[in-house]
Amino acid sequence: MKRPVPRQPLRFSTQTLLLQLGVVLLVVLLSGAVHAWLTYERLGREAENQALTLARTVASDPTVRREVQAISREAGTPPASVLLTGPLMGAAEGARTRTGALFVVITDETGLRLAHPDADRLGEKVSTDPSDALSGKEVTTRNTGTLGPSAGAKVPVFGPDSDTVVGEVSVGYSTESIVHSLARDITPIALTAAGSLLAGALASFLLRRRLQRLTLGLEPEEISTLVHDQVAVLQGVDDGVIGVAADGRISVFNAAAQRLLAQPDLAGTPWEQAPIPEQLKALTRPDAAEADAVEIIAGARVLVASARKALHRREDLGWVVMLRDRTELQQLTRQLDAVGTMSTALRAQRHEFANQLHTIAGFMSIGQHQQARDYLARLAATGPLKFPVDQAELLQDPYLQAFVGAKGVEADERGVTLRIGPETLVRGQVTEPQDVTTVLGNLIDNAVNAAVAGSAEDRWVEVELLDEPGPDGGTLHVVVADSGDGLAPETAAGGAEAVFGEGFTTAARPARAAGGQGLGLALARQLARRRGGDVRVLEPGSPGGPGAVFMATLPRTTADLPGKDKLIRNDSLIGEERDV
């Protein structure tokens, strides 16, 4: 047995159209009916007034008054044949014929007909109650009598020489004539109603089209589901989502985007006027490639941004910009690099110390005490590690020793000598290794790249570090110079600030999108300024060398070592013993 196919419910826009058409039709019908009823009532009142006027005219005719009084004084009522040819019948029929009334009836004081359009009804009592008129009152009525429904009036007939009521005149106009008049008047009403219905149908159709366009053809249930899904997705993801409507205004700015860009909810703000990085706005311009993602600096964060065109069928909905945070990944990478560097340094130091202790033990076992003392003096002068860094013994902080030593190994592999400047003096201990790693590492890497690309045969990079104590933590000053060819002339002519722009790189190959190049100096300056410091160019350098000189100031990155004064005194005593 074949199952019946369930009927698909009407679409919301179709339901809305039908509902609107029904409302318009109902309003038009009600308005037409009320107007027709009011017109009918007006025509009925006009007929009543016309009947009242005619009845007054007939009742005030001296002949009618005299003849009615005469008949009323006689005993009995004249036969119908006499009344048919009498003056009352002539006056009543003449008035009816002239005015087109349905009837003009004249009665005596008892309600017997003295004049009537139907001769067979003469001498009979009227079918409607004449008591009001016979009591001296004028009344208008709508009754159904022997001649059919009518709108009329009843007026008393007074005697010619007294105020005594001797009869009454009843005049009526057929309601069929009222309907015919209404039919003539209803034509403009019908045309107006038809025009209103047509205009309402057209407006409903246009509203349906607009509703479909605004809702993208979606049903209310689908829109509700989309809203719930949108809220759940936008507020539940860690990626920043920015929606730019087709009219150029921000329609979506989720919590993650607010956090990553350090901005309040910018929904409703024009996209081109929003306080966001210019690189994001460039992604949505017509000449931008959709597939390209770019890395930008926002505050202290490194973000990967991409943009996609949003289309529904053939309708342009605008743009969707996605933001992903790479800051934590880069921080983790730097931490792992630092840990790896420190681990390597500690293993090398442990191995070196073991060899040194074995050597000292050997001297002592064979009684060569003076050679053991000389060996210890040489160790104190050269430092504990053998990294390829000139004057590495000037660094007292183990973290800086390990980090600069690791950079020295990398530089040495590229044919560049890394050396510590003679003015280096770091008496405190580094307390913010991540920021120091980022700034110092970027400056050293850029200097090594510049030295490799330079024209000088003797390739070197010199680093000077100096800490300055402070109440809230010491300030680390870093100066990095190299043997390269300096900044490009066009860059140096612009005040050297272009090197801190996103996308600038000293690498031989140009920076590629989302490749991590071109962000080092910009990120270093952002981190330094976030701490209240700065990174700037001291010297732009010159072709043939020496190269550019960069200086970084990093407040609150060092702390005084406990017992520092005692260590200084011990160092002085050791120096005095050496002199002796």
Side-chain angles (χ1 to χ4, degrees), residues 191-221:
L191 293 177
T192 303
S196 301
L197 183 61
L198 181 61
L202 179 60
S204 299
F205 180 76
L206 295 178
L207 183 60
R208 175 177 179 267
R209 292 289 301 273
R210 176 170 175 79
L211 184 63
Q212 281 184 325
R213 184 168 64 254
L214 292 177
T215 60
L216 306 179
L218 299 176
E219 296 300 304
E221 296 81 4

Side-chain angles (χ1 to χ4, degrees), residues 239-300:
D239 293 347
V241 180
I242 304 175
V244 183
D247 61 357
R249 292 186 174 272
I250 299 177
S251 57
V252 176
F253 203 81
N254 72 339
Q258 299 174 35
R259 174 176 55 85
L260 295 177
L261 296 176
Q263 294 291 339
D265 189 359
L266 298 178
T269 305
W271 174 244
E272 291 297 333
Q273 301 176 13
I276 59 176
E278 188 64 28
Q279 294 87 335
L280 285 181
K281 299 177 184 178
L283 291 175
T284 61
R285 298 203 172 108
D287 56 347
E290 286 193 19
D292 290 343
V294 298
E295 286 186 344
I296 65 172
I297 300 295

Side-chain angles (χ1 to χ4, degrees), residues 298-345:
R301 296 181 181 275
V302 179
L303 306 178
V304 177
S306 60
R308 294 290 183 272
K309 193 71 175 174
L311 299 172
H312 181 75
R313 296 171 185 165
R314 295 184 178 180
E315 185 173 0
D316 182 6
L317 302 182
W319 290 85
V320 177
V321 180
M322 300 293 296
L323 301 173
R324 293 180 294 276
D325 191 2
R326 288 191 57 185
T327 306
E328 296 180 356
L329 180 60
Q330 289 196 352
Q331 290 178 350
L332 181 60
T333 302
R334 290 197 300 268
Q335 289 177 0
L336 291 176
D337 291 342
V339 170
T341 302
M342 292 295 292
S343 177
T344 302

Side-chain angles (χ1 to χ4, degrees), residues 339-354 385:
V339 170
T341 302
M342 292 295 292
S343 177
T344 302
L346 290 175
R347 284 198 301 270
Q349 191 176 44
R350 182 179 61 83
H351 182 72
E352 185 76 13
F353 283 166
L385 297 177

Side-chain angles (χ1 to χ4, degrees), residues 48-117:
E48 291 173 356
N49 293 331
Q50 187 176 359
L52 181 61
T53 301
L54 180 59
R56 287 173 176 172
T57 302
V58 173
S60 61
D61 188 351
T63 303
V64 172
R65 296 174 65 183
R66 183 174 61 252
E67 289 295 326
V68 172
Q69 184 181 30
I71 293 174
S72 297
R73 288 178 178 178
E74 295 177 359
T77 303
S81 57
V82 175
L83 295 175
L84 182 63
T85 58
L88 292 178
M89 190 66 177
E93 287 300 301
R96 184 181 69 83
T97 303
R98 290 193 306 270
T99 59
L102 177 64
F103 60 85
V104 177
V105 177
I106 302 174
T107 70
D108 60 10
E109 78 281 4
T110 62
L112 297 179
R113 298 186 182 99
L114 304 178
H116 191 277

